[in-house]
Amino acid sequence: MVEKRDVEREDKFNLTVDVLMLAGTLLLQSGSEIYRVEDTMIRIAHSQGIMDCNALAMPVAVFFSIENTNISRMKRITHSNYNIEKVCDVNQVSRELVSGDISLEDAFEKLTQLKKKKTPYTNRRLTFAATISAPFFSIMFGGNLYDALGAALATFFGFSFSLLVNKYVRIPFVTAFAGAFVFGLLAQIWARYSGFPSSADLIIAGAVMPFVPGIALTNAVRDLMTNHLNSGMSKIFETLLITLALGAGTSVALVLMK
């Protein structure tokens, strides 16, 4: 009986670590803040009686260890995107587990289903959303209807091309440069040869907005405010490089059209 209880306790312990590691991995892969990842893992561990533990999350990996033992786990994060819906779903599972509404087995099953869940937005939907939003930014910056139409056209082809490049080269800076080059080129062509009274600058101002890494910048500031300096600074530099890539792509297009 004692051995059976020990086996059950060990199985529960391993399942707890599996659950919190899976939760942390999903949050990190979905673009969550570092503070949220670590806090979720610690709360799950505490709810299952594991008190003396440590969780460490970085943009490329998540770690978990228990003090005074040789037990530790590490998960390498090789790819990530921004999926706020999945972040909310993982948080909901964590809250239900901590409050005792669901068991460890149910939590692991739900997290496994979330892991298999595909991104709700296809490339067509993303392109459509970017194309629809860009004209309103042009108008907001002082453009007219023709600037808005030019921004929609430039964004459609620029965003589509960036997604195509991202399919083969998964480097955010390269995809941002490619998209900026295309919409910068089309903005110049529209302003010069369409025959409509429009401004290339206002077209570019609207077309660039769907490419701006707003979520990454927000998470970077949040991480810095919670004293996660490494992840905060790395995300700050990531957003800076993407911004520079957007500027470089647009500049190359402007130079070629002179």
Side-chain angles (χ1 to χ4, degrees):
M1 293 295 294
V2 175
E3 292 182 357
K4 184 178 180 180
R5 286 196 297 268
D6 291 340
V7 171
E8 291 178 351
R9 188 181 301 110
E10 183 178 355
D11 290 342
K12 179 182 178 181
F13 173 82
N14 290 329
L15 183 58
T16 300
V17 178
D18 290 340
V19 168
L20 63 88
M21 285 296 296
L22 182 55
T25 300
L26 291 177
L27 287 174
L28 204 56
Q29 289 177 338
S30 301
S32 174
E33 318 95 288
I34 297 298
Y35 170 79
R36 185 188 301 271
V37 176
E38 295 179 351
D39 183 66
T40 299
M41 296 174 65
I42 292 296
R43 287 179 183 272
I44 293 176
H46 287 178
S47 70
Q48 303 302 314
I50 304 176
M51 306 306 295
D52 297 328
C53 57
N54 300 286
L56 175 63
M58 297 187 296
V60 295
V62 59
F63 302 85
F64 179 79
S65 65
I66 301 177
E67 294 184 5
N68 302 320
T69 68
N70 59 354
I71 299 173
S72 63
R73 293 278 189 93
M74 188 274 286
K75 176 65 177 179
R76 180 77 162 86
I77 307 299
T78 57
H79 62 88
S80 62
N81 53 27
Y82 292 101
N83 190 340
I84 305 303
E85 180 182 356
K86 184 173 289 188
V87 172
C88 294
D89 291 339
V90 174
N91 280 339
Q92 183 61 31
V93 173
S94 172
R95 294 188 189 99
E96 292 176 354
L97 176 60
V98 172
S99 62
D101 295 335
I102 61 175
S103 63
L104 271 174
E105 291 77 8
D106 293 336
F108 186 76
E109 179 64 25
K110 288 187 176 183
L111 291 174
T112 303
Q113 293 299 323
L114 288 176
K115 181 180 180 180
K116 298 177 181 178
K117 186 178 180 180
K118 295 182 179 180
T119 305
Y121 307 112
T122 62
N123 287 344
R124 289 184 178 181
R125 291 183 178 180
L126 292 174
T127 304
F128 177 76
T131 303
I132 292 298
S133 63
F136 294 98
F137 285 113
S138 289
I139 294 175
M140 184 181 69
F141 292 138
N144 54 34
L145 179 61
Y146 302 111
D147 294 324
L149 291 175
L153 179 68
T155 303
F156 175 78
F157 287 102
F159 203 86
S160 299
F161 186 68
S162 69
L163 292 177
L164 178 63
V165 173
N166 185 63
K167 183 178 180 180
Y168 300 99
V169 184
R170 293 186 174 274
I171 303 176
F173 323 118
V174 176
T175 58
F177 178 88
F181 174 76
V182 172
F183 72 65
L185 199 64
L186 291 177
Q188 290 290 322
I189 294 174
W190 177 272
R192 292 187 184 185
Y193 305 113
S194 67
F196 300 121
S198 56
S199 169
D201 294 338
L202 293 174
I203 294 174
I204 292 174
V208 75
M209 293 305 293
F211 292 86
V212 175
I215 298 179
L217 180 60
T218 303
N219 286 349
V221 174
R222 174 66 184 273
D223 288 339
L224 290 174
M225 292 175 64
T226 54
N227 205 32
H228 291 86
L229 301 181
N230 290 334
S231 60
M233 291 304 298
S234 66
K235 290 179 181 178
I236 286 287
F237 280 113
E238 178 185 356
T239 58
L240 178 61
L241 288 175
I242 292 176
T243 304
L244 291 176
L246 291 172
T250 306
S251 299
V252 171
L254 295 177
V255 170
L256 291 178
M257 289 298 295
K258 281 187 177 181

PDB file of all heavy atoms in Angstrom, residues 6 9 17 19 31 42 57 82 121 146-147 199 237 245:
ATOM      1  N   ASP A   6       3.126   5.864  -2.951  1.00  0.00           N
ATOM      2  CA  ASP A   6       4.305   6.563  -3.453  1.00  0.00           C
ATOM      3  C   ASP A   6       4.254   6.700  -4.976  1.00  0.00           C
ATOM      4  O   ASP A   6       4.611   7.743  -5.531  1.00  0.00           O
ATOM      5  CB  ASP A   6       5.578   5.821  -3.042  1.00  0.00           C
ATOM      6  CG  ASP A   6       5.838   5.906  -1.545  1.00  0.00           C
ATOM      7  OD1 ASP A   6       5.277   6.825  -0.913  1.00  0.00           O
ATOM      8  OD2 ASP A   6       6.582   5.054  -1.018  1.00  0.00           O
ATOM      9  N   ARG A   9       1.685   9.314  -5.814  1.00  0.00           N
ATOM     10  CA  ARG A   9       2.201  10.644  -5.520  1.00  0.00           C
ATOM     11  C   ARG A   9       3.200  11.082  -6.586  1.00  0.00           C
ATOM     12  O   ARG A   9       3.198  12.234  -7.023  1.00  0.00           O
ATOM     13  CB  ARG A   9       2.864  10.645  -4.138  1.00  0.00           C
ATOM     14  CG  ARG A   9       3.257  12.046  -3.661  1.00  0.00           C
ATOM     15  CD  ARG A   9       3.932  12.013  -2.305  1.00  0.00           C
ATOM     16  NE  ARG A   9       3.080  11.424  -1.288  1.00  0.00           N
ATOM     17  CZ  ARG A   9       3.297  10.240  -0.722  1.00  0.00           C
ATOM     18  NH1 ARG A   9       4.351   9.508  -1.091  1.00  0.00           N
ATOM     19  NH2 ARG A   9       2.484   9.776   0.202  1.00  0.00           N
ATOM     20  N   VAL A  17       4.016  18.808 -13.107  1.00  0.00           N
ATOM     21  CA  VAL A  17       5.108  19.456 -13.833  1.00  0.00           C
ATOM     22  C   VAL A  17       4.806  19.491 -15.330  1.00  0.00           C
ATOM     23  O   VAL A  17       5.079  20.487 -16.010  1.00  0.00           O
ATOM     24  CB  VAL A  17       6.438  18.734 -13.554  1.00  0.00           C
ATOM     25  CG1 VAL A  17       7.570  19.372 -14.351  1.00  0.00           C
ATOM     26  CG2 VAL A  17       6.766  18.781 -12.064  1.00  0.00           C
ATOM     27  N   VAL A  19       1.856  19.653 -16.695  1.00  0.00           N
ATOM     28  CA  VAL A  19       0.807  20.649 -16.919  1.00  0.00           C
ATOM     29  C   VAL A  19       1.379  22.058 -16.898  1.00  0.00           C
ATOM     30  O   VAL A  19       1.115  22.872 -17.793  1.00  0.00           O
ATOM     31  CB  VAL A  19      -0.314  20.502 -15.866  1.00  0.00           C
ATOM     32  CG1 VAL A  19      -1.253  21.707 -15.905  1.00  0.00           C
ATOM     33  CG2 VAL A  19      -1.105  19.232 -16.110  1.00  0.00           C
ATOM     34  N   GLY A  31       2.932  34.575 -27.464  1.00  0.00           N
ATOM     35  CA  GLY A  31       3.282  35.981 -27.332  1.00  0.00           C
ATOM     36  C   GLY A  31       2.915  36.609 -26.007  1.00  0.00           C
ATOM     37  O   GLY A  31       2.767  37.834 -25.924  1.00  0.00           O
ATOM     38  N   ILE A  42       4.005  29.150 -11.506  1.00  0.00           N
ATOM     39  CA  ILE A  42       4.145  29.111 -10.045  1.00  0.00           C
ATOM     40  C   ILE A  42       2.796  28.852  -9.383  1.00  0.00           C
ATOM     41  O   ILE A  42       2.691  28.072  -8.419  1.00  0.00           O
ATOM     42  CB  ILE A  42       4.756  30.427  -9.535  1.00  0.00           C
ATOM     43  CG1 ILE A  42       6.215  30.555 -10.001  1.00  0.00           C
ATOM     44  CG2 ILE A  42       4.684  30.506  -8.017  1.00  0.00           C
ATOM     45  CD1 ILE A  42       7.135  29.496  -9.437  1.00  0.00           C
ATOM     46  N   ALA A  57      11.323  32.202 -17.333  1.00  0.00           N
ATOM     47  CA  ALA A  57      10.934  32.237 -18.744  1.00  0.00           C
ATOM     48  C   ALA A  57      11.757  33.286 -19.473  1.00  0.00           C
ATOM     49  O   ALA A  57      12.032  34.361 -18.939  1.00  0.00           O
ATOM     50  CB  ALA A  57       9.445  32.541 -18.887  1.00  0.00           C
ATOM     51  N   TYR A  82       1.743  35.727 -32.228  1.00  0.00           N
ATOM     52  CA  TYR A  82       0.872  36.424 -31.292  1.00  0.00           C
ATOM     53  C   TYR A  82      -0.554  35.910 -31.453  1.00  0.00           C
ATOM     54  O   TYR A  82      -1.187  36.108 -32.487  1.00  0.00           O
ATOM     55  CB  TYR A  82       0.948  37.934 -31.513  1.00  0.00           C
ATOM     56  CG  TYR A  82       2.290  38.501 -31.129  1.00  0.00           C
ATOM     57  CD1 TYR A  82       3.247  38.794 -32.098  1.00  0.00           C
ATOM     58  CD2 TYR A  82       2.619  38.701 -29.791  1.00  0.00           C
ATOM     59  CE1 TYR A  82       4.489  39.285 -31.740  1.00  0.00           C
ATOM     60  CE2 TYR A  82       3.857  39.191 -29.432  1.00  0.00           C
ATOM     61  CZ  TYR A  82       4.787  39.483 -30.405  1.00  0.00           C
ATOM     62  OH  TYR A  82       6.015  39.961 -30.046  1.00  0.00           O
ATOM     63  N   TYR A 121      -6.823  32.619 -37.558  1.00  0.00           N
ATOM     64  CA  TYR A 121      -6.780  33.550 -38.681  1.00  0.00           C
ATOM     65  C   TYR A 121      -5.862  33.020 -39.772  1.00  0.00           C
ATOM     66  O   TYR A 121      -4.675  32.796 -39.548  1.00  0.00           O
ATOM     67  CB  TYR A 121      -6.300  34.924 -38.219  1.00  0.00           C
ATOM     68  CG  TYR A 121      -7.096  35.468 -37.055  1.00  0.00           C
ATOM     69  CD1 TYR A 121      -6.519  35.601 -35.801  1.00  0.00           C
ATOM     70  CD2 TYR A 121      -8.427  35.819 -37.213  1.00  0.00           C
ATOM     71  CE1 TYR A 121      -7.252  36.080 -34.730  1.00  0.00           C
ATOM     72  CE2 TYR A 121      -9.173  36.297 -36.151  1.00  0.00           C
ATOM     73  CZ  TYR A 121      -8.579  36.429 -34.914  1.00  0.00           C
ATOM     74  OH  TYR A 121      -9.316  36.892 -33.859  1.00  0.00           O
ATOM     75  N   TYR A 146      -8.436  59.199 -52.303  1.00  0.00           N
ATOM     76  CA  TYR A 146      -7.505  58.578 -53.248  1.00  0.00           C
ATOM     77  C   TYR A 146      -6.260  58.041 -52.522  1.00  0.00           C
ATOM     78  O   TYR A 146      -5.702  57.009 -52.911  1.00  0.00           O
ATOM     79  CB  TYR A 146      -7.108  59.586 -54.321  1.00  0.00           C
ATOM     80  CG  TYR A 146      -8.294  60.137 -55.072  1.00  0.00           C
ATOM     81  CD1 TYR A 146      -8.680  61.468 -54.912  1.00  0.00           C
ATOM     82  CD2 TYR A 146      -9.042  59.324 -55.910  1.00  0.00           C
ATOM     83  CE1 TYR A 146      -9.777  61.974 -55.592  1.00  0.00           C
ATOM     84  CE2 TYR A 146     -10.144  59.822 -56.592  1.00  0.00           C
ATOM     85  CZ  TYR A 146     -10.513  61.146 -56.429  1.00  0.00           C
ATOM     86  OH  TYR A 146     -11.600  61.633 -57.094  1.00  0.00           O
ATOM     87  N   ASP A 147      -5.845  58.746 -51.479  1.00  0.00           N
ATOM     88  CA  ASP A 147      -4.753  58.220 -50.654  1.00  0.00           C
ATOM     89  C   ASP A 147      -5.170  56.910 -49.980  1.00  0.00           C
ATOM     90  O   ASP A 147      -4.375  55.969 -49.874  1.00  0.00           O
ATOM     91  CB  ASP A 147      -4.358  59.241 -49.581  1.00  0.00           C
ATOM     92  CG  ASP A 147      -3.762  60.503 -50.172  1.00  0.00           C
ATOM     93  OD1 ASP A 147      -3.048  60.392 -51.181  1.00  0.00           O
ATOM     94  OD2 ASP A 147      -4.027  61.589 -49.627  1.00  0.00           O
ATOM     95  N   SER A 199      -0.918  61.596 -52.278  1.00  0.00           N
ATOM     96  CA  SER A 199       0.439  61.782 -51.765  1.00  0.00           C
ATOM     97  C   SER A 199       1.043  60.429 -51.410  1.00  0.00           C
ATOM     98  O   SER A 199       0.430  59.638 -50.676  1.00  0.00           O
ATOM     99  CB  SER A 199       0.416  62.686 -50.533  1.00  0.00           C
ATOM    100  OG  SER A 199       1.664  62.673 -49.866  1.00  0.00           O
ATOM    101  N   PHE A 237      14.733  45.591 -28.686  1.00  0.00           N
ATOM    102  CA  PHE A 237      15.621  45.546 -29.846  1.00  0.00           C
ATOM    103  C   PHE A 237      14.937  44.879 -31.039  1.00  0.00           C
ATOM    104  O   PHE A 237      15.175  45.254 -32.192  1.00  0.00           O
ATOM    105  CB  PHE A 237      16.916  44.813 -29.497  1.00  0.00           C
ATOM    106  CG  PHE A 237      17.904  45.660 -28.750  1.00  0.00           C
ATOM    107  CD1 PHE A 237      18.225  45.385 -27.435  1.00  0.00           C
ATOM    108  CD2 PHE A 237      18.509  46.745 -29.366  1.00  0.00           C
ATOM    109  CE1 PHE A 237      19.132  46.180 -26.738  1.00  0.00           C
ATOM    110  CE2 PHE A 237      19.418  47.545 -28.685  1.00  0.00           C
ATOM    111  CZ  PHE A 237      19.732  47.264 -27.367  1.00  0.00           C
ATOM    112  N   ALA A 245      13.830  47.892 -40.373  1.00  0.00           N
ATOM    113  CA  ALA A 245      13.620  47.148 -41.617  1.00  0.00           C
ATOM    114  C   ALA A 245      12.499  47.774 -42.442  1.00  0.00           C
ATOM    115  O   ALA A 245      12.596  47.860 -43.676  1.00  0.00           O
ATOM    116  CB  ALA A 245      13.296  45.689 -41.302  1.00  0.00           C
TER     117      ALA A 245
END
